[in-house]
Amino acid sequence: MSTQSPTRPELAAIVRKVTLRLIPILLLMYILAFLDRANLGFAKAAWQADTGISDAAYALGAGIFFLGYAVFEVPSNLIMRKVGAKIWLARIMVSWGIVSALMMFATNEWIFYILRVLLGITEAGFFPGVILFLTYWIPLKFRARVNGLFYFGAPLAFIFGGPLSGMLLDLDGKVGLHGWQLMFLVTGILTVIIGIVAFFYLDNGPKDAKWLSEGERSTLLAALEAEDSAKENHSPRGALRALANPVVLYFAAIYLTIQMSVYGVTFYLPTQIATIVGKPVGLEVGLLTAVPWTFALIITFVLSRLADSTGQRRLIATCALAAAGVGIVLSAVIQDPLIALAALSVGAAGFISVQPVFWTLPTSFLLGAAAASGIALINSLGSLGGFLAPVLKNWADATFGDNAGLIILAAIALVGAGLIALSKVVSPTVRETDGVGLATTTTTGQR
C-alpha cells in the first residue's frame, strides 16, 4: 500500500470513477425495488375492482410486507457481510422478482397477504445491504452525494415507471390478462434479469476491483482505513451490541418517522393525483405522477451535494423533512389542483432528499459487524413505518374524514425533523477524515 498521502483531487477522481462504475447498476436495482412497491398503488383501483378486495384488506396487505421485511433485515445484512455483496444482492433480486411476478395471481385476500409477506422476506436486506456496500467504497466526505445518486431510484421509478405501469394497466384484456396482472408480471421478470446481471457485474469491495489500478486501489483503501480508525472508539463492539445501542435506536426512531411519511404518500399517490385532476388511474395519471418525483430528483441532487460541501448534514436533513411535512399537509387541504400538485411535489422532494443525508449520520460512527447490524436495524425498525402508515392513514380517514390520515402523517414527519435537529445531543463525537486520511474532530450530529 502506498505510504504517500493522497490529495483531495486525486481521491475525488477515484471516487468519481467508483461512482460511475457502481451507481448505474445500483440505481437500476433500486428503481425496480421502489417500482415493485409503488406498483401496488398503481394497481389499486383496477385490482380492487376485479377482485373485490376491500380498502381495509388493501391497507393491511400493503403494510404487512414490512413485517417480514423487518424481521429478516439484520440476518440478511450479516450474511451479506460474510458471503459478499455480489452473491447476496443478486440472490435478493432474483427471489423478490419471482414473488413479485406471482402477484398476478393475487385474486383474493389470503393469496394477497401471503405473497406480500413472502415479498417482504425475499426483499429484506436489499436496501441496508446497498447502504453498507457503499461504505466499503465511498469515504464519508463524499457519501451524501453518492447516496443521493442512489436515491434517484425512487423518483426515477415514478418518472419512468409511472407511465410504464399506467401503460400496462391500459392494456387490460389485450393479451388475455388484466392490466394489473401484466404489470406485476413484466416488472417481476425485469427484476430477475437485473439480479442475474448484478451477480456478474458487482465486486465485493475495492480489493476485488480489477477496473481500478493498483495505485487507485491503494489510495482508496488508505482513505477508508483512516476513516475506520477514526470510528474505533465510538462504534459499538460487535453486531449484538449495536442492536441495543441507544444511538442506533434513536436513529431508528428518526427513520421510522421518515418512512411513515414516504409510504403514507407513496401507496396512495396515484389515486390522490387522480382525485386532484378528476381522472382515472391510467397513462395520463401515470405521467402526472412524474411531476412530484422530477422535482424530488432535482432537490435530492442539490441538497446531497450541499450537505457534503458544507458539512451541515443535520441542518439540511432537518429542513428537508420539515418541508416534507408541510408539503404533505398542504396537499391534503388545498383544493386548487395545480397548487395541490405543487405542495405534493414539495412533500415528495422533502422525504426523498432527507434520506441520503440522514444515512451519513449513523454510518459515520458504525464500524464492521456493528455497521452491518446497526444499519440493518435502523432500516428494519424504520421500515415498520411502511406497515404503520397505510393502516394509520386508513383508520384516520375512516374516523375523522378524508385527508385526516395525510395530516397525521405530515405531523409525524415534523416530529422526525425535530428528532434530527436534536440528534446532536445523543450522537457520539468522532474524528471524521477529510477524505485524504487526515482526521478532524467533529460531532457526528453536526455533520
Side-chain angles (χ1 to χ4, degrees):
M1 188 174 296
S2 173
T3 58
Q4 282 191 317
S5 280
T7 63
R8 284 185 184 83
E10 182 185 358
L11 183 60
I14 298 169
V15 170
R16 281 194 296 271
K17 185 174 181 178
V18 170
T19 302
L20 288 172
R21 170 77 183 191
L22 297 182
I23 286 300
I25 184 70
L26 295 176
L27 182 58
L28 182 56
M29 293 162 76
Y30 190 38
I31 287 172
L32 290 168
F34 212 90
L35 183 59
D36 172 63
R37 301 180 193 186
N39 270 346
L40 197 61
F42 281 103
K44 182 178 184 295
W47 172 67
Q48 286 183 282
D50 289 333
T51 61
I53 290 175
S54 67
D55 284 342
Y58 170 84
L60 178 59
I64 207 171
F65 162 93
F66 293 96
L67 295 182
Y69 187 88
V71 169
F72 287 92
E73 288 275 79
V74 173
S76 179
N77 241 27
L78 292 173
I79 292 172
M80 193 191 88
R81 185 169 178 265
K82 294 291 186 182
V83 305
K86 64 180 299 179
I87 292 176
W88 200 243
L89 291 177
R91 192 285 305 162
I92 289 172
M93 288 205 71
V94 170
S95 59
W96 112 54
I98 292 170
V99 177
S100 182
L102 291 175
M103 278 289 294
M104 67 183 291
F105 300 111
T107 55
N108 64 56
E109 292 179 3
W110 284 107
I111 295 175
F112 175 49
Y113 295 154
I114 291 168
L115 287 175
R116 289 294 292 175
V117 171
L118 286 176
L119 191 62
I121 292 171
T122 53
E123 193 178 323
F126 169 72
F127 182 84
V130 173
I131 294 296
L132 178 64
F133 181 59
L134 288 175
T135 68
Y136 298 161
W137 293 89
I138 308 297
L140 179 60
K141 181 72 175 177
F142 305 92
R143 200 170 297 153
R145 71 191 70 184
V146 177
N147 286 352
L149 293 174
F150 174 60
Y151 263 96
F152 281 10
L156 289 175
F158 284 98
I159 293 170
F160 297 109
L164 172 64
S165 296
M167 181 185 69
L168 292 171
L169 286 171
D170 286 344
L171 292 177
D172 186 66
K174 297 291 177 61
V175 291
L177 295 172
H178 291 297
W180 59 268
Q181 290 180 306
L182 189 60
M183 182 185 67
F184 285 126
L185 178 63
V186 169
T187 54
I189 291 172
L190 283 174
T191 301
V192 171
I193 292 171
I194 297 305
I196 295 170
V197 171
F199 173 76
F200 292 100
Y201 185 83
L202 293 176
D203 295 296
N204 291 325
K207 291 180 180 178
D208 302 323
K210 293 182 173 59
W211 42 272
L212 289 175
S213 69
E214 184 176 348
E216 289 170 333
R217 277 196 300 273
S218 297
T219 297
L220 182 57
L221 287 168
L224 292 167
E225 287 168 6
E227 184 176 300
D228 287 347
S229 296
K231 299 177 184 179
E232 282 287 348
N233 295 326
H234 306 282
S235 176
R237 294 288 187 264
L240 292 178
R241 289 188 179 181
L243 299 180
N245 183 272
V247 181
V248 171
L249 293 174
Y250 185 87
F251 282 118
I254 294 173
Y255 200 56
L256 175 66
T257 67
I258 295 172
Q259 292 304 297
M260 289 189 73
S261 67
V262 170
Y263 289 109
V265 175
T266 299
F267 285 139
Y268 296 90
L269 185 122
T271 50
Q272 187 180 0
I273 288 182
T275 300
I276 289 172
V277 299
K279 301 279 186 178
V281 177
L283 179 59
E284 186 175 349
V285 169
L287 290 170
L288 282 175
T289 60
V291 174
W293 303 115
T294 301
F295 187 63
L297 189 153
I298 295 168
I299 296 301
T300 300
F301 181 85
V302 172
L303 291 188
S304 60
R305 277 156 177 73
L306 186 64
D308 278 344
S309 63
T310 64
Q312 296 298 321
R313 297 184 177 99
R314 191 201 320 110
L315 175 61
I316 289 170
T318 299
C319 293
L321 191 53
V326 172
I328 291 170
V329 73
L330 290 178
S331 74
V333 300
I334 290 176
Q335 299 300 314
D336 183 275
L338 286 178
I339 299 176
L341 187 59
L344 201 55
S345 299
V346 172
F351 65 62
I352 294 297
S353 63
V354 66
Q355 295 180 78
V357 183
F358 163 81
W359 278 111
T360 64
L361 304 180
T363 58
S364 68
F365 73 92
L366 290 170
L367 179 65
S373 63
I375 291 168
L377 181 68
I378 291 168
N379 193 67
S380 176
L381 296 180
S383 292
L384 289 176
F387 171 75
L388 295 173
V391 174
L392 177 62
K393 181 181 183 300
N394 194 61
W395 170 81
D397 287 343
T399 304
F400 302 108
D402 289 344
N403 295 327
L406 281 177
I407 293 171
I408 290 175
L409 293 172
I412 290 171
L414 293 174
V415 169
L419 291 175
I420 295 174
L422 294 172
S423 65
K424 175 182 179 180
V425 177
V426 300
S427 295
T429 298
V430 301
R431 295 187 308 146
E432 179 186 312
T433 63
D434 68 357
V436 296
L438 300 175
T440 56
T441 300
T442 185
T443 303
T444 302
Q446 292 175 326
R447 292 284 182 170

